[in-house]
PDB file of all heavy atoms in Angstrom:
ATOM      1  N   THR A  19      10.417  -9.165  29.304  1.00 94.00           N
ATOM      2  CA  THR A  19       9.974 -10.530  29.504  1.00 94.00           C
ATOM      3  C   THR A  19       8.853 -10.840  28.523  1.00 94.00           C
ATOM      4  O   THR A  19       8.198  -9.936  28.007  1.00 94.00           O
ATOM      5  CB  THR A  19       9.483 -10.748  30.959  1.00 94.00           C
ATOM      6  OG1 THR A  19       9.257 -12.136  31.193  1.00 94.00           O
ATOM      7  CG2 THR A  19       8.216  -9.976  31.230  1.00 94.00           C
ATOM      8  N   CYS A  20       8.635 -12.112  28.263  1.00 95.00           N
ATOM      9  CA  CYS A  20       7.557 -12.543  27.382  1.00 95.00           C
ATOM     10  C   CYS A  20       6.272 -12.674  28.195  1.00 95.00           C
ATOM     11  O   CYS A  20       6.260 -13.330  29.239  1.00 95.00           O
ATOM     12  CB  CYS A  20       7.895 -13.877  26.728  1.00 95.00           C
ATOM     13  SG  CYS A  20       9.283 -13.808  25.575  1.00 95.00           S
ATOM     14  N   VAL A  21       5.214 -12.048  27.701  1.00 93.00           N
ATOM     15  CA  VAL A  21       3.938 -12.031  28.407  1.00 93.00           C
ATOM     16  C   VAL A  21       2.870 -12.606  27.480  1.00 93.00           C
ATOM     17  O   VAL A  21       2.764 -12.214  26.314  1.00 93.00           O
ATOM     18  CB  VAL A  21       3.556 -10.602  28.821  1.00 93.00           C
ATOM     19  CG1 VAL A  21       2.202 -10.582  29.518  1.00 93.00           C
ATOM     20  CG2 VAL A  21       4.628 -10.009  29.738  1.00 93.00           C
ATOM     21  N   ALA A  22       2.089 -13.547  28.007  1.00 92.00           N
ATOM     22  CA  ALA A  22       1.004 -14.124  27.228  1.00 92.00           C
ATOM     23  C   ALA A  22      -0.162 -13.149  27.167  1.00 92.00           C
ATOM     24  O   ALA A  22      -0.449 -12.441  28.127  1.00 92.00           O
ATOM     25  CB  ALA A  22       0.553 -15.451  27.844  1.00 92.00           C
ATOM     26  N   ALA A  23      -0.836 -13.103  26.029  1.00 90.00           N
ATOM     27  CA  ALA A  23      -2.003 -12.232  25.868  1.00 90.00           C
ATOM     28  C   ALA A  23      -3.081 -12.986  25.104  1.00 90.00           C
ATOM     29  O   ALA A  23      -2.783 -13.782  24.210  1.00 90.00           O
ATOM     30  CB  ALA A  23      -1.616 -10.959  25.121  1.00 90.00           C
ATOM     31  N   PRO A  24      -4.348 -12.745  25.436  1.00 89.00           N
ATOM     32  CA  PRO A  24      -5.428 -13.418  24.706  1.00 89.00           C
ATOM     33  C   PRO A  24      -5.522 -12.885  23.286  1.00 89.00           C
ATOM     34  O   PRO A  24      -5.028 -11.797  22.979  1.00 89.00           O
ATOM     35  CB  PRO A  24      -6.679 -13.043  25.513  1.00 89.00           C
ATOM     36  CG  PRO A  24      -6.330 -11.737  26.153  1.00 89.00           C
ATOM     37  CD  PRO A  24      -4.863 -11.825  26.460  1.00 89.00           C
ATOM     38  N   VAL A  25      -6.154 -13.642  22.416  1.00 86.00           N
ATOM     39  CA  VAL A  25      -6.389 -13.135  21.068  1.00 86.00           C
ATOM     40  C   VAL A  25      -7.509 -12.110  21.146  1.00 86.00           C
ATOM     41  O   VAL A  25      -8.403 -12.201  21.991  1.00 86.00           O
ATOM     42  CB  VAL A  25      -6.736 -14.267  20.079  1.00 86.00           C
ATOM     43  CG1 VAL A  25      -5.569 -15.216  19.930  1.00 86.00           C
ATOM     44  CG2 VAL A  25      -7.979 -15.022  20.527  1.00 86.00           C
ATOM     45  N   PRO A  26      -7.499 -11.086  20.273  1.00 81.00           N
ATOM     46  CA  PRO A  26      -8.464  -9.996  20.406  1.00 81.00           C
ATOM     47  C   PRO A  26      -9.922 -10.416  20.355  1.00 81.00           C
ATOM     48  O   PRO A  26     -10.766  -9.795  20.998  1.00 81.00           O
ATOM     49  CB  PRO A  26      -8.101  -9.077  19.236  1.00 81.00           C
ATOM     50  CG  PRO A  26      -6.659  -9.331  18.990  1.00 81.00           C
ATOM     51  CD  PRO A  26      -6.475 -10.793  19.259  1.00 81.00           C
ATOM     52  N   ASP A  27     -10.271 -11.477  19.592  1.00 81.00           N
ATOM     53  CA  ASP A  27     -11.682 -11.829  19.498  1.00 81.00           C
ATOM     54  C   ASP A  27     -12.201 -12.502  20.772  1.00 81.00           C
ATOM     55  O   ASP A  27     -13.395 -12.800  20.876  1.00 81.00           O
ATOM     56  CB  ASP A  27     -11.970 -12.682  18.263  1.00 81.00           C
ATOM     57  CG  ASP A  27     -11.225 -14.003  18.245  1.00 81.00           C
ATOM     58  OD1 ASP A  27     -10.599 -14.350  19.269  1.00 81.00           O
ATOM     59  OD2 ASP A  27     -11.260 -14.682  17.210  1.00 81.00           O
ATOM     60  N   GLU A  28     -11.335 -12.728  21.754  1.00 82.00           N
ATOM     61  CA  GLU A  28     -11.781 -13.205  23.054  1.00 82.00           C
ATOM     62  C   GLU A  28     -12.102 -12.046  23.992  1.00 82.00           C
ATOM     63  O   GLU A  28     -12.563 -12.262  25.116  1.00 82.00           O
ATOM     64  CB  GLU A  28     -10.703 -14.095  23.691  1.00 82.00           C
ATOM     65  CG  GLU A  28     -10.448 -15.396  22.923  1.00 82.00           C
ATOM     66  CD  GLU A  28      -9.279 -16.182  23.495  1.00 82.00           C
ATOM     67  OE1 GLU A  28      -8.611 -15.657  24.421  1.00 82.00           O
ATOM     68  OE2 GLU A  28      -9.038 -17.298  23.012  1.00 82.00           O
ATOM     69  N   MET A  29     -11.850 -10.815  23.550  1.00 80.00           N
ATOM     70  CA  MET A  29     -12.048  -9.642  24.372  1.00 80.00           C
ATOM     71  C   MET A  29     -13.435  -9.043  24.133  1.00 80.00           C
ATOM     72  O   MET A  29     -14.078  -9.327  23.121  1.00 80.00           O
ATOM     73  CB  MET A  29     -10.984  -8.596  24.033  1.00 80.00           C
ATOM     74  CG  MET A  29      -9.557  -9.058  24.289  1.00 80.00           C
ATOM     75  SD  MET A  29      -9.307  -9.410  26.031  1.00 80.00           S
ATOM     76  CE  MET A  29      -9.681  -7.787  26.708  1.00 80.00           C
ATOM     77  N   PRO A  30     -13.902  -8.190  25.068  1.00 80.00           N
ATOM     78  CA  PRO A  30     -15.156  -7.466  24.804  1.00 80.00           C
ATOM     79  C   PRO A  30     -15.043  -6.627  23.533  1.00 80.00           C
ATOM     80  O   PRO A  30     -13.940  -6.267  23.106  1.00 80.00           O
ATOM     81  CB  PRO A  30     -15.298  -6.566  26.045  1.00 80.00           C
ATOM     82  CG  PRO A  30     -14.463  -7.209  27.097  1.00 80.00           C
ATOM     83  CD  PRO A  30     -13.324  -7.865  26.381  1.00 80.00           C
ATOM     84  N   ALA A  31     -16.169  -6.319  22.927  1.00 83.00           N
ATOM     85  CA  ALA A  31     -16.177  -5.488  21.724  1.00 83.00           C
ATOM     86  C   ALA A  31     -16.085  -4.018  22.122  1.00 83.00           C
ATOM     87  O   ALA A  31     -16.850  -3.547  22.971  1.00 83.00           O
ATOM     88  CB  ALA A  31     -17.452  -5.736  20.927  1.00 83.00           C
ATOM     89  N   PHE A  32     -15.144  -3.311  21.517  1.00 96.00           N
ATOM     90  CA  PHE A  32     -14.970  -1.893  21.778  1.00 96.00           C
ATOM     91  C   PHE A  32     -15.191  -1.109  20.492  1.00 96.00           C
ATOM     92  O   PHE A  32     -15.229  -1.668  19.400  1.00 96.00           O
ATOM     93  CB  PHE A  32     -13.555  -1.611  22.313  1.00 96.00           C
ATOM     94  CG  PHE A  32     -13.272  -2.274  23.626  1.00 96.00           C
ATOM     95  CD1 PHE A  32     -12.594  -3.487  23.674  1.00 96.00           C
ATOM     96  CD2 PHE A  32     -13.682  -1.698  24.808  1.00 96.00           C
ATOM     97  CE1 PHE A  32     -12.344  -4.111  24.884  1.00 96.00           C
ATOM     98  CE2 PHE A  32     -13.439  -2.318  26.026  1.00 96.00           C
ATOM     99  CZ  PHE A  32     -12.767  -3.519  26.062  1.00 96.00           C
ATOM    100  N   ARG A  33     -15.342   0.205  20.661  1.00 97.00           N
ATOM    101  CA  ARG A  33     -15.397   1.071  19.506  1.00 97.00           C
ATOM    102  C   ARG A  33     -14.527   2.291  19.771  1.00 97.00           C
ATOM    103  O   ARG A  33     -14.151   2.565  20.919  1.00 97.00           O
ATOM    104  CB  ARG A  33     -16.837   1.477  19.204  1.00 97.00           C
ATOM    105  CG  ARG A  33     -17.507   2.346  20.234  1.00 97.00           C
ATOM    106  CD  ARG A  33     -18.995   2.431  19.926  1.00 97.00           C
ATOM    107  NE  ARG A  33     -19.594   3.666  20.414  1.00 97.00           N
ATOM    108  CZ  ARG A  33     -20.882   3.966  20.279  1.00 97.00           C
ATOM    109  NH1 ARG A  33     -21.700   3.106  19.677  1.00 97.00           N
ATOM    110  NH2 ARG A  33     -21.357   5.092  20.721  1.00 97.00           N
ATOM    111  N   LEU A  34     -14.167   2.997  18.717  1.00 98.00           N
ATOM    112  CA  LEU A  34     -13.321   4.171  18.876  1.00 98.00           C
ATOM    113  C   LEU A  34     -13.945   5.113  19.912  1.00 98.00           C
ATOM    114  O   LEU A  34     -15.146   5.372  19.869  1.00 98.00           O
ATOM    115  CB  LEU A  34     -13.188   4.892  17.533  1.00 98.00           C
ATOM    116  CG  LEU A  34     -12.151   6.018  17.498  1.00 98.00           C
ATOM    117  CD1 LEU A  34     -10.751   5.450  17.386  1.00 98.00           C
ATOM    118  CD2 LEU A  34     -12.429   6.978  16.352  1.00 98.00           C
ATOM    119  N   PRO A  35     -13.147   5.629  20.856  1.00 98.00           N
ATOM    120  CA  PRO A  35     -13.718   6.463  21.916  1.00 98.00           C
ATOM    121  C   PRO A  35     -13.984   7.913  21.501  1.00 98.00           C
ATOM    122  O   PRO A  35     -13.780   8.851  22.291  1.00 98.00           O
ATOM    123  CB  PRO A  35     -12.660   6.371  23.021  1.00 98.00           C
ATOM    124  CG  PRO A  35     -11.389   6.129  22.302  1.00 98.00           C
ATOM    125  CD  PRO A  35     -11.742   5.272  21.126  1.00 98.00           C
ATOM    126  N   PHE A  36     -14.433   8.094  20.269  1.00 98.00           N
ATOM    127  CA  PHE A  36     -14.858   9.396  19.749  1.00 98.00           C
ATOM    128  C   PHE A  36     -16.076   9.158  18.864  1.00 98.00           C
ATOM    129  O   PHE A  36     -16.309   8.042  18.400  1.00 98.00           O
ATOM    130  CB  PHE A  36     -13.747  10.054  18.927  1.00 98.00           C
ATOM    131  CG  PHE A  36     -12.491  10.334  19.709  1.00 98.00           C
ATOM    132  CD1 PHE A  36     -11.437   9.424  19.721  1.00 98.00           C
ATOM    133  CD2 PHE A  36     -12.358  11.503  20.442  1.00 98.00           C
ATOM    134  CE1 PHE A  36     -10.283   9.667  20.448  1.00 98.00           C
ATOM    135  CE2 PHE A  36     -11.204  11.758  21.175  1.00 98.00           C
ATOM    136  CZ  PHE A  36     -10.165  10.839  21.175  1.00 98.00           C
ATOM    137  N   ASP A  37     -16.841  10.220  18.580  1.00 97.00           N
ATOM    138  CA  ASP A  37     -18.021  10.029  17.756  1.00 97.00           C
ATOM    139  C   ASP A  37     -17.681  10.137  16.269  1.00 97.00           C
ATOM    140  O   ASP A  37     -16.540  10.415  15.876  1.00 97.00           O
ATOM    141  CB  ASP A  37     -19.141  10.999  18.158  1.00 97.00           C
ATOM    142  CG  ASP A  37     -18.778  12.459  17.949  1.00 97.00           C
ATOM    143  OD1 ASP A  37     -17.955  12.769  17.064  1.00 97.00           O
ATOM    144  OD2 ASP A  37     -19.324  13.303  18.681  1.00 97.00           O
ATOM    145  N   ALA A  38     -18.702   9.910  15.433  1.00 95.00           N
ATOM    146  CA  ALA A  38     -18.484   9.845  13.995  1.00 95.00           C
ATOM    147  C   ALA A  38     -18.151  11.198  13.375  1.00 95.00           C
ATOM    148  O   ALA A  38     -17.638  11.263  12.263  1.00 95.00           O
ATOM    149  CB  ALA A  38     -19.722   9.247  13.320  1.00 95.00           C
ATOM    150  N   ARG A  39     -18.434  12.278  14.078  1.00 95.00           N
ATOM    151  CA  ARG A  39     -18.129  13.613  13.555  1.00 95.00           C
ATOM    152  C   ARG A  39     -16.695  14.037  13.841  1.00 95.00           C
ATOM    153  O   ARG A  39     -16.231  15.056  13.334  1.00 95.00           O
ATOM    154  CB  ARG A  39     -19.090  14.642  14.158  1.00 95.00           C
ATOM    155  CG  ARG A  39     -20.556  14.412  13.804  1.00 95.00           C
ATOM    156  CD  ARG A  39     -21.454  15.259  14.677  1.00 95.00           C
ATOM    157  NE  ARG A  39     -21.354  14.841  16.078  1.00 95.00           N
ATOM    158  CZ  ARG A  39     -22.023  15.414  17.080  1.00 95.00           C
ATOM    159  NH1 ARG A  39     -22.836  16.430  16.835  1.00 95.00           N
ATOM    160  NH2 ARG A  39     -21.880  14.975  18.321  1.00 95.00           N
ATOM    161  N   THR A  40     -16.002  13.272  14.658  1.00 96.00           N
ATOM    162  CA  THR A  40     -14.677  13.660  15.129  1.00 96.00           C
ATOM    163  C   THR A  40     -13.598  12.834  14.450  1.00 96.00           C
ATOM    164  O   THR A  40     -13.609  11.597  14.535  1.00 96.00           O
ATOM    165  CB  THR A  40     -14.580  13.471  16.656  1.00 96.00           C
ATOM    166  OG1 THR A  40     -15.599  14.244  17.292  1.00 96.00           O
ATOM    167  CG2 THR A  40     -13.223  13.890  17.173  1.00 96.00           C
ATOM    168  N   GLU A  41     -12.676  13.499  13.777  1.00 95.00           N
ATOM    169  CA  GLU A  41     -11.530  12.805  13.205  1.00 95.00           C
ATOM    170  C   GLU A  41     -10.332  12.964  14.131  1.00 95.00           C
ATOM    171  O   GLU A  41     -10.022  14.060  14.585  1.00 95.00           O
ATOM    172  CB  GLU A  41     -11.172  13.367  11.831  1.00 95.00           C
ATOM    173  CG  GLU A  41      -9.994  12.622  11.189  1.00 95.00           C
ATOM    174  CD  GLU A  41      -9.670  13.108   9.790  1.00 95.00           C
ATOM    175  OE1 GLU A  41      -9.057  14.192   9.681  1.00 95.00           O
ATOM    176  OE2 GLU A  41     -10.046  12.416   8.825  1.00 95.00           O
ATOM    177  N   VAL A  42      -9.691  11.849  14.422  1.00 96.00           N
ATOM    178  CA  VAL A  42      -8.472  11.862  15.226  1.00 96.00           C
ATOM    179  C   VAL A  42      -7.367  11.155  14.456  1.00 96.00           C
ATOM    180  O   VAL A  42      -7.629  10.364  13.548  1.00 96.00           O
ATOM    181  CB  VAL A  42      -8.687  11.191  16.603  1.00 96.00           C
ATOM    182  CG1 VAL A  42      -9.602  12.035  17.471  1.00 96.00           C
ATOM    183  CG2 VAL A  42      -9.222   9.781  16.462  1.00 96.00           C
ATOM    184  N   ILE A  43      -6.147  11.460  14.827  1.00 95.00           N
ATOM    185  CA  ILE A  43      -4.977  10.916  14.156  1.00 95.00           C
ATOM    186  C   ILE A  43      -4.212  10.048  15.143  1.00 95.00           C
ATOM    187  O   ILE A  43      -3.976  10.464  16.288  1.00 95.00           O
ATOM    188  CB  ILE A  43      -4.086  12.048  13.610  1.00 95.00           C
ATOM    189  CG1 ILE A  43      -4.880  12.880  12.598  1.00 95.00           C
ATOM    190  CG2 ILE A  43      -2.816  11.488  12.968  1.00 95.00           C
ATOM    191  CD1 ILE A  43      -4.226  14.181  12.218  1.00 95.00           C
ATOM    192  N   CYS A  44      -3.834   8.850  14.740  1.00 96.00           N
ATOM    193  CA  CYS A  44      -3.016   7.990  15.594  1.00 96.00           C
ATOM    194  C   CYS A  44      -1.585   8.505  15.566  1.00 96.00           C
ATOM    195  O   CYS A  44      -0.960   8.563  14.501  1.00 96.00           O
ATOM    196  CB  CYS A  44      -3.073   6.546  15.111  1.00 96.00           C
ATOM    197  SG  CYS A  44      -2.067   5.438  16.136  1.00 96.00           S
ATOM    198  N   THR A  45      -1.070   8.914  16.721  1.00 94.00           N
ATOM    199  CA  THR A  45       0.290   9.445  16.798  1.00 94.00           C
ATOM    200  C   THR A  45       1.273   8.488  17.454  1.00 94.00           C
ATOM    201  O   THR A  45       2.474   8.741  17.457  1.00 94.00           O
ATOM    202  CB  THR A  45       0.306  10.775  17.579  1.00 94.00           C
ATOM    203  OG1 THR A  45      -0.122  10.541  18.923  1.00 94.00           O
ATOM    204  CG2 THR A  45      -0.596  11.805  16.921  1.00 94.00           C
ATOM    205  N   HIS A  46       0.784   7.381  18.025  1.00 94.00           N
ATOM    206  CA  HIS A  46       1.677   6.446  18.734  1.00 94.00           C
ATOM    207  C   HIS A  46       0.956   5.117  18.833  1.00 94.00           C
ATOM    208  O   HIS A  46      -0.099   5.016  19.459  1.00 94.00           O
ATOM    209  CB  HIS A  46       1.987   7.004  20.122  1.00 94.00           C
ATOM    210  CG  HIS A  46       3.067   6.281  20.865  1.00 94.00           C
ATOM    211  ND1 HIS A  46       3.605   6.775  22.040  1.00 94.00           N
ATOM    212  CD2 HIS A  46       3.709   5.119  20.625  1.00 94.00           C
ATOM    213  CE1 HIS A  46       4.529   5.942  22.492  1.00 94.00           C
ATOM    214  NE2 HIS A  46       4.610   4.919  21.649  1.00 94.00           N
ATOM    215  N   GLY A  47       1.494   4.109  18.189  1.00 93.00           N
ATOM    216  CA  GLY A  47       0.854   2.811  18.139  1.00 93.00           C
ATOM    217  C   GLY A  47       1.377   1.834  19.168  1.00 93.00           C
ATOM    218  O   GLY A  47       2.185   2.174  20.037  1.00 93.00           O
ATOM    219  N   PRO A  48       0.930   0.584  19.084  1.00 94.00           N
ATOM    220  CA  PRO A  48       1.298  -0.429  20.073  1.00 94.00           C
ATOM    221  C   PRO A  48       2.769  -0.829  20.019  1.00 94.00           C
ATOM    222  O   PRO A  48       3.391  -0.868  18.952  1.00 94.00           O
ATOM    223  CB  PRO A  48       0.411  -1.622  19.696  1.00 94.00           C
ATOM    224  CG  PRO A  48      -0.734  -1.029  18.925  1.00 94.00           C
ATOM    225  CD  PRO A  48      -0.131   0.108  18.166  1.00 94.00           C
ATOM    226  N   GLY A  49       3.335  -1.118  21.191  1.00 93.00           N
ATOM    227  CA  GLY A  49       4.609  -1.813  21.303  1.00 93.00           C
ATOM    228  C   GLY A  49       5.863  -1.011  21.098  1.00 93.00           C
ATOM    229  O   GLY A  49       6.959  -1.582  21.136  1.00 93.00           O
ATOM    230  N   VAL A  50       5.778   0.307  20.907  1.00 90.00           N
ATOM    231  CA  VAL A  50       6.984   1.107  20.663  1.00 90.00           C
ATOM    232  C   VAL A  50       7.078   2.234  21.681  1.00 90.00           C
ATOM    233  O   VAL A  50       6.074   2.699  22.219  1.00 90.00           O
ATOM    234  CB  VAL A  50       7.007   1.689  19.237  1.00 90.00           C
ATOM    235  CG1 VAL A  50       7.039   0.577  18.207  1.00 90.00           C
ATOM    236  CG2 VAL A  50       5.834   2.619  19.004  1.00 90.00           C
ATOM    237  N   GLY A  51       8.325   2.701  21.932  1.00 89.00           N
ATOM    238  CA  GLY A  51       8.535   3.799  22.859  1.00 89.00           C
ATOM    239  C   GLY A  51       7.957   3.489  24.224  1.00 89.00           C
ATOM    240  O   GLY A  51       8.134   2.399  24.764  1.00 89.00           O
ATOM    241  N   SER A  52       7.242   4.450  24.794  1.00 91.00           N
ATOM    242  CA  SER A  52       6.643   4.240  26.114  1.00 91.00           C
ATOM    243  C   SER A  52       5.516   3.218  26.077  1.00 91.00           C
ATOM    244  O   SER A  52       5.027   2.792  27.124  1.00 91.00           O
ATOM    245  CB  SER A  52       6.124   5.569  26.681  1.00 91.00           C
ATOM    246  OG  SER A  52       5.183   6.149  25.804  1.00 91.00           O
ATOM    247  N   HIS A  53       5.103   2.785  24.881  1.00 94.00           N
ATOM    248  CA  HIS A  53       4.111   1.718  24.768  1.00 94.00           C
ATOM    249  C   HIS A  53       4.768   0.333  24.747  1.00 94.00           C
ATOM    250  O   HIS A  53       4.130  -0.644  24.396  1.00 94.00           O
ATOM    251  CB  HIS A  53       3.249   1.901  23.520  1.00 94.00           C
ATOM    252  CG  HIS A  53       2.342   3.090  23.584  1.00 94.00           C
ATOM    253  ND1 HIS A  53       1.447   3.385  22.588  1.00 94.00           N
ATOM    254  CD2 HIS A  53       2.197   4.058  24.513  1.00 94.00           C
ATOM    255  CE1 HIS A  53       0.796   4.492  22.899  1.00 94.00           C
ATOM    256  NE2 HIS A  53       1.235   4.920  24.069  1.00 94.00           N
ATOM    257  N   GLY A  54       6.026   0.256  25.119  1.00 94.00           N
ATOM    258  CA  GLY A  54       6.671  -1.038  25.268  1.00 94.00           C
ATOM    259  C   GLY A  54       6.439  -1.653  26.635  1.00 94.00           C
ATOM    260  O   GLY A  54       6.731  -2.834  26.839  1.00 94.00           O
ATOM    261  N   TRP A  55       5.898  -0.865  27.586  1.00 95.00           N
ATOM    262  CA  TRP A  55       5.701  -1.361  28.939  1.00 95.00           C
ATOM    263  C   TRP A  55       4.517  -2.323  29.019  1.00 95.00           C
ATOM    264  O   TRP A  55       3.577  -2.228  28.242  1.00 95.00           O
ATOM    265  CB  TRP A  55       5.498  -0.201  29.916  1.00 95.00           C
ATOM    266  CG  TRP A  55       6.732   0.627  30.062  1.00 95.00           C
ATOM    267  CD1 TRP A  55       7.076   1.717  29.318  1.00 95.00           C
ATOM    268  CD2 TRP A  55       7.805   0.407  30.968  1.00 95.00           C
ATOM    269  NE1 TRP A  55       8.296   2.193  29.714  1.00 95.00           N
ATOM    270  CE2 TRP A  55       8.772   1.408  30.730  1.00 95.00           C
ATOM    271  CE3 TRP A  55       8.049  -0.533  31.978  1.00 95.00           C
ATOM    272  CZ2 TRP A  55       9.955   1.502  31.458  1.00 95.00           C
ATOM    273  CZ3 TRP A  55       9.234  -0.443  32.703  1.00 95.00           C
ATOM    274  CH2 TRP A  55      10.166   0.564  32.438  1.00 95.00           C
ATOM    275  N   MET A  56       4.568  -3.208  29.999  1.00 95.00           N
ATOM    276  CA  MET A  56       3.575  -4.277  30.125  1.00 95.00           C
ATOM    277  C   MET A  56       2.162  -3.729  30.284  1.00 95.00           C
ATOM    278  O   MET A  56       1.194  -4.351  29.851  1.00 95.00           O
ATOM    279  CB  MET A  56       3.919  -5.178  31.314  1.00 95.00           C
ATOM    280  CG  MET A  56       3.018  -6.393  31.458  1.00 95.00           C
ATOM    281  SD  MET A  56       3.584  -7.546  32.737  1.00 95.00           S
ATOM    282  CE  MET A  56       3.295  -6.576  34.211  1.00 95.00           C
ATOM    283  N   ASN A  57       2.009  -2.532  30.899  1.00 94.00           N
ATOM    284  CA  ASN A  57       0.670  -2.004  31.113  1.00 94.00           C
ATOM    285  C   ASN A  57       0.239  -1.034  30.022  1.00 94.00           C
ATOM    286  O   ASN A  57      -0.816  -0.414  30.136  1.00 94.00           O
ATOM    287  CB  ASN A  57       0.566  -1.336  32.487  1.00 94.00           C
ATOM    288  CG  ASN A  57       1.598  -0.246  32.683  1.00 94.00           C
ATOM    289  OD1 ASN A  57       2.267   0.165  31.747  1.00 94.00           O
ATOM    290  ND2 ASN A  57       1.737   0.226  33.904  1.00 94.00           N
ATOM    291  N   ALA A  58       1.046  -0.912  28.949  1.00 96.00           N
ATOM    292  CA  ALA A  58       0.694   0.009  27.860  1.00 96.00           C
ATOM    293  C   ALA A  58       1.024  -0.570  26.487  1.00 96.00           C
ATOM    294  O   ALA A  58       0.953   0.141  25.495  1.00 96.00           O
ATOM    295  CB  ALA A  58       1.420   1.339  28.045  1.00 96.00           C
ATOM    296  N   PHE A  59       1.357  -1.851  26.419  1.00 96.00           N
ATOM    297  CA  PHE A  59       1.918  -2.421  25.191  1.00 96.00           C
ATOM    298  C   PHE A  59       0.985  -2.285  23.990  1.00 96.00           C
ATOM    299  O   PHE A  59       1.420  -2.005  22.879  1.00 96.00           O
ATOM    300  CB  PHE A  59       2.260  -3.891  25.421  1.00 96.00           C
ATOM    301  CG  PHE A  59       3.075  -4.498  24.314  1.00 96.00           C
ATOM    302  CD1 PHE A  59       4.456  -4.397  24.316  1.00 96.00           C
ATOM    303  CD2 PHE A  59       2.473  -5.179  23.265  1.00 96.00           C
ATOM    304  CE1 PHE A  59       5.219  -4.947  23.301  1.00 96.00           C
ATOM    305  CE2 PHE A  59       3.214  -5.724  22.244  1.00 96.00           C
ATOM    306  CZ  PHE A  59       4.600  -5.607  22.260  1.00 96.00           C
ATOM    307  N   PHE A  60      -0.310  -2.482  24.198  1.00 96.00           N
ATOM    308  CA  PHE A  60      -1.271  -2.420  23.085  1.00 96.00           C
ATOM    309  C   PHE A  60      -2.019  -1.083  23.034  1.00 96.00           C
ATOM    310  O   PHE A  60      -3.020  -0.957  22.335  1.00 96.00           O
ATOM    311  CB  PHE A  60      -2.271  -3.578  23.186  1.00 96.00           C
ATOM    312  CG  PHE A  60      -1.639  -4.926  23.036  1.00 96.00           C
ATOM    313  CD1 PHE A  60      -1.417  -5.727  24.141  1.00 96.00           C
ATOM    314  CD2 PHE A  60      -1.237  -5.391  21.791  1.00 96.00           C
ATOM    315  CE1 PHE A  60      -0.815  -6.982  24.010  1.00 96.00           C
ATOM    316  CE2 PHE A  60      -0.638  -6.641  21.647  1.00 96.00           C
ATOM    317  CZ  PHE A  60      -0.427  -7.435  22.765  1.00 96.00           C
ATOM    318  N   ALA A  61      -1.525  -0.086  23.756  1.00 97.00           N
ATOM    319  CA  ALA A  61      -2.188   1.216  23.798  1.00 97.00           C
ATOM    320  C   ALA A  61      -2.051   1.960  22.473  1.00 97.00           C
ATOM    321  O   ALA A  61      -1.123   1.736  21.690  1.00 97.00           O
ATOM    322  CB  ALA A  61      -1.600   2.060  24.927  1.00 97.00           C
TER     323      ALA A  61
END
């Protein structure tokens, strides 16, 4: 189904949930696979 979502600049400001000494790799982006679900779409 089509779900409305706010534009990101209307959201609180977040930062990467790791510190500057830690490098992490993105292995799964928004909207694909199990991130297609309504509660995980932008995960």
